[in-house]
Every structure is written in structure tokens, then in C-alpha cells.
Amino acid sequence: MPSSKSEWDILRVQVMWQHHAPDDAETPHLLLQPLLENAVFHGVESIHRPGIITVLTKLEKSSIFISIENPCGTEPNENTKPHKGNSMALRNLKERLTLMYDTNAKIRNIQSDGLFRVEIILPYRKKSAEVSHLFG
């Protein structure tokens, strides 16, 4: 058990990155931010204990696969206080992916065994120099 509140805060959330996708892959700006915020707010924060968020990226054939997984309380008890969500971040992200990739991108979420996972599949496109220069 941590000896001070600041040590507890440091241990509260850990993010494990497993980045195996090509670095030149084009991905939408701010793709992960709302998903990671949700993983903290609806996942780790609601279970009132330290939690690990796992982010996995990899190339599968001609697609980029992205998975964000976090703990979640499945049944309320004295140690959990679920935050009711409205799935706005997931809906917004789905709309953005449809605008950018039409039906070539997929997003789905799965909840089981105390874990919540969002999986995204995007067509693998290399960043163009012009886009990198204009948008960072």
C-alpha cells in the first residue's frame, strides 16, 4: 500500500503500450484521446482501485488494428461506482471514421469478464508528406 496520497495517484492508472503498427500509418488526429479519457473515467475511476489500460496497435494484412482495453465494474458493490455514459465518444468516433474511410473502417466495443475493449480497424495508408507538413 502506498505511504502517501501522491504515491497512490501515481499507481492509480497505468497505460501499457504495445505499439507494433508502422510509424508511417495515417491515423485520424485525436483518435485515442477520447477513448483513453473514457477508459479512465468509466473504467479505472469507477472501480476505485488501481487499473491498467492496454493500448495495442498492429498491422494485420492491409489494415491497422487498434485495441484499447480497460477494467470496468460489471456489478455495483461497495468498491465500484459506475459512471453512466451515453456512448457519445464512440458515436462521434464512428461518424468520423465513416467520413474518412466510408465502410473501410470498423469500430466495435466488447464488455466481458470485468474488461471493456474498443477495437478499431482502419485501412493501412501511408502518411503523405503534404499531409504531415500541413497537420503536424
Side-chain angles (χ1 to χ4, degrees), residues 26-74:
E26 176 186 87
T27 56
H29 289 281
L30 299 175
L31 174 72
L32 296 180
Q33 185 220 352
L35 298 173
L36 290 171
E37 285 177 358
N38 280 354
V40 171
F41 183 70
H42 295 290
V44 177
E45 191 175 291
S46 69
I47 61 172
H48 299 286
R49 66 178 193 276
I52 296 174
I53 299 168
T54 304
V55 180
L56 168 68
T57 66
K58 62 183 176 178
L59 180 64
E60 288 186 345
K61 298 183 182 175
S62 60
S63 297
I64 299 295
F65 176 81
I66 303 168
S67 170
I68 299 94
E69 184 175 272
N70 58 272
C72 65
T74 54

Side-chain angles (χ1 to χ4, degrees), residues 13-30:
V13 177
Q14 294 181 21
V15 179
M16 304 297 293
W17 294 90
Q18 299 174 16
H19 177 60
H20 305 291
D23 289 333
D24 67 353
E26 176 186 87
T27 56
H29 289 281
L30 299 175

Side-chain angles (χ1 to χ4, degrees), residues 35 89-90 93-94 97 105-109 118-121:
L35 298 173
L90 288 172
L93 185 54
K94 189 177 280 192
L97 293 177
K106 307 282 185 244
I107 182 170
R108 71 179 184 151
N109 56 288
V118 175
E119 296 178 345
I120 302 168
I121 300 173

Side-chain angles (χ1 to χ4, degrees), residues 83-99:
H83 297 289
K84 180 148 175 53
N86 58 15
S87 300
M88 187 184 333
L90 288 172
R91 270 197 316 273
N92 288 345
L93 185 54
K94 189 177 280 192
E95 288 175 13
R96 286 179 56 210
L97 293 177
T98 299
L99 287 171

